[in-house]
Amino acid sequence: MNIVLFGAPGAGKGTQSTMLVEKLGFVQISTGDIFRRAIKNKTDLGLKAKEFMDQGKLVPDELTIQLVDEVLVGLKGQSFILDGFPRTMPQALALEDILKKRDLVINKAIFLEVPKDQLVARLSGRRVCKGCGAVYHIDSKPSKSEGVCDLCSSEVVQRSDDQAEVIITRLKTYEENTSPLREYFRGKGKYFELDGALNADQVFKNLKQILSS
Ligand code: AP5
């Protein structure tokens, strides 16, 4: 079972993907995480991606598609989640070619629906561990000791693109580029919708139902 998990910034894609990895053995492919690792390691890809991510804009399709093409090698036989890809129509169309080439299929595209005011609250309150990447929230999921990761004791910080003005651009970018993919997947007969405003455990319960339907 291979899925696309999509939705606005802060909809909970990363949170649900982590649960799918831990509880059901999925492989998570998050383009955002890959870009952030590349930035941390100061690679060419990271340098190119950083200028777009810092502004809340999308990394150009050409770079992103090439990245996913490389990452999808050797996944046959494993269940994977595409978390945050595709995000534009050109990416969706390129994905069709990549999947065909690698003899892979996407079985379901699952959209996480969350009202805008909740998205803003989630993004502005999100904190992430600099070491292991664990995700927290100052209100709904604080670390036990402020600024320190429960799992690896590294520093917990705010993501640079979770600043208020960047959040506004990210949400606008999402509306313009990614929201139309709902119709694209609906047309493919693979579209499923989840109420992402419920608590994370309830969303996961409903997600599992979709996976087994
Ligand atoms: P990416 O990292 O993918 O960011 P995003 O899509 O903006 O999504 P987020 O990671 O912000 O949110 P999420 O949905 O994973 O929510 P999370 O689970 O963390 O991309 C970053 C950037 O990389 C992009 O802006 C772009 O520049 C570039 N990029 C990436 N992919 C690209 C592509 N395909 N093409 C071009 N550019 C690309 O949850 C958020 C918070 O809410 C957390 O604090 C969490 O604890 C909390 N939370 C989660 N679920 C719940 C719940 N059910 N109830 C209450 N709180 C919850």
Side-chain angles (χ1 to χ4, degrees):
M1 166 73 64
N2 303 322
I3 63 170
V4 166
L5 200 53
F6 72 122
K13 304 179 291 293
T15 300
Q16 295 301 320
S17 293
T18 302
M19 292 166 99
L20 285 171
V21 170
E22 286 171 0
K23 296 179 196 289
L24 299 179
F26 275 76
V27 175
Q28 177 191 12
I29 299 164
S30 158
T31 39
D33 285 349
I34 297 172
F35 288 136
R36 275 185 291 278
R37 269 198 302 275
I39 291 172
K40 197 172 164 189
N41 296 328
K42 299 189 168 64
T43 65
D44 277 356
L45 174 70
L47 286 175
K48 285 179 192 153
K50 188 173 177 357
E51 75 176 271
F52 298 97
M53 290 173 76
D54 282 351
Q55 296 176 65
K57 295 182 179 163
L58 294 180
V59 177
D61 283 336
E62 200 183 284
L63 268 183
T64 311
I65 289 165
Q66 189 191 338
L67 170 78
V68 171
D69 192 13
E70 287 162 14
V71 170
L72 283 180
V73 175
L75 274 179
K76 201 155 168 49
Q78 296 185 75
S79 294
F80 62 84
I81 315 150
L82 288 179
D83 162 5
F85 182 93
R87 257 183 226 234
T88 63
M89 267 315 289
Q91 290 182 14
L93 297 176
L95 179 62
E96 289 184 12
D97 293 339
I98 294 171
L99 292 171
K100 210 178 284 169
K101 187 167 76 178
R102 308 240 181 274
D103 197 17
L104 295 167
V105 287
I106 292 296
N107 305 96
K108 293 178 181 178
I110 303 167
F111 176 75
L112 284 166
E113 171 97 68
V114 177
K116 193 170 172 185
D117 57 334
Q118 283 194 41
L119 294 172
V120 173
R122 285 183 186 188
L123 292 170
S124 51
R126 174 169 53 189
R127 299 293 182 268
V128 292
C129 172
K130 272 174 103 171
C132 68
V135 176
Y136 298 92
H137 190 280
I138 51 170
D139 299 321
S140 61
K141 198 186 167 201
S143 56
K144 288 191 188 107
S145 169
E146 199 185 327
V148 181
C149 179
D150 296 349
L151 305 177
C152 74
S153 302
S154 300
E155 196 186 356
V156 169
V157 296
Q158 186 167 39
R159 242 168 71 173
S160 57
D161 60 350
D162 280 345
Q163 306 290 336
E165 64 281 13
V166 187
I167 290 174
I168 293 168
T169 310
R170 286 165 66 201
L171 291 173
K172 193 163 170 279
T173 303
Y174 158 78
E175 279 302 334
E176 288 169 4
N177 296 279
T178 312
S179 189
L181 293 184
R182 297 169 74 173
E183 284 314 309
Y184 164 79
F185 283 119
R186 215 189 294 273
K188 297 265 165 207
K190 295 185 175 180
Y191 180 79
F192 294 82
E193 211 166 81
L194 264 181
D195 181 356
L198 301 172
N199 74 57
D201 289 334
Q202 187 61 51
V203 176
F204 187 63
K205 203 171 151 199
N206 296 344
L207 173 57
K208 282 194 294 185
Q209 269 176 12
I210 290 178
L211 295 181
S212 58
S213 67

